[in-house]
């Protein structure tokens, strides 16, 4: 069985007509990435603070 060559892009530019991409450059993707980054930063800060309390 022969498969076609796939070129999956990480981010789809708005003017591209391809359907093989992981993320788009639109408002939903930027909002989701921002929420994820803020959550991870809060999580790391929480781990650092809890480490300071439990190490005493």
């Amino acid at each position: 069985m022969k498969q076609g060559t796939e070129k999956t892009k990480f981010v789809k530019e708005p003017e591209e007509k391809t359907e093989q991409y992981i993320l788009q450059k639109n408002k939903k993707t930027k909002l989701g990435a921002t929420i994820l980054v803020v959550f991870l930063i809060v999580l790391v800060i929480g781990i650092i603070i809890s480490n300071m309390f439990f190490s005493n």
Side-chain angles (χ1 to χ4, degrees):
M1 186 184 294
K2 204 173 192 183
Q3 291 184 347
T5 58
E6 293 184 18
K7 292 197 174 208
T8 302
K9 293 190 174 190
F10 190 69
V11 176
K12 178 183 178 266
E13 298 292 331
E15 64 273 357
E16 292 178 351
K17 300 292 183 194
T18 183
E19 292 183 5
Q20 298 174 350
Y21 57 88
I22 297 172
L23 298 173
Q24 297 185 53
K25 278 192 174 179
N26 61 13
K27 202 181 282 188
K28 285 183 187 177
T29 305
K30 290 179 184 178
L31 178 65
T34 303
I35 291 171
L36 183 64
V37 168
V38 168
F39 175 75
L40 290 175
I41 291 171
V42 168
L43 185 66
V44 168
I45 290 171
I47 291 171
I48 292 170
I49 291 173
S50 67
N51 186 26
M52 289 174 14
F53 281 117
F54 289 123
S55 65
N56 290 337

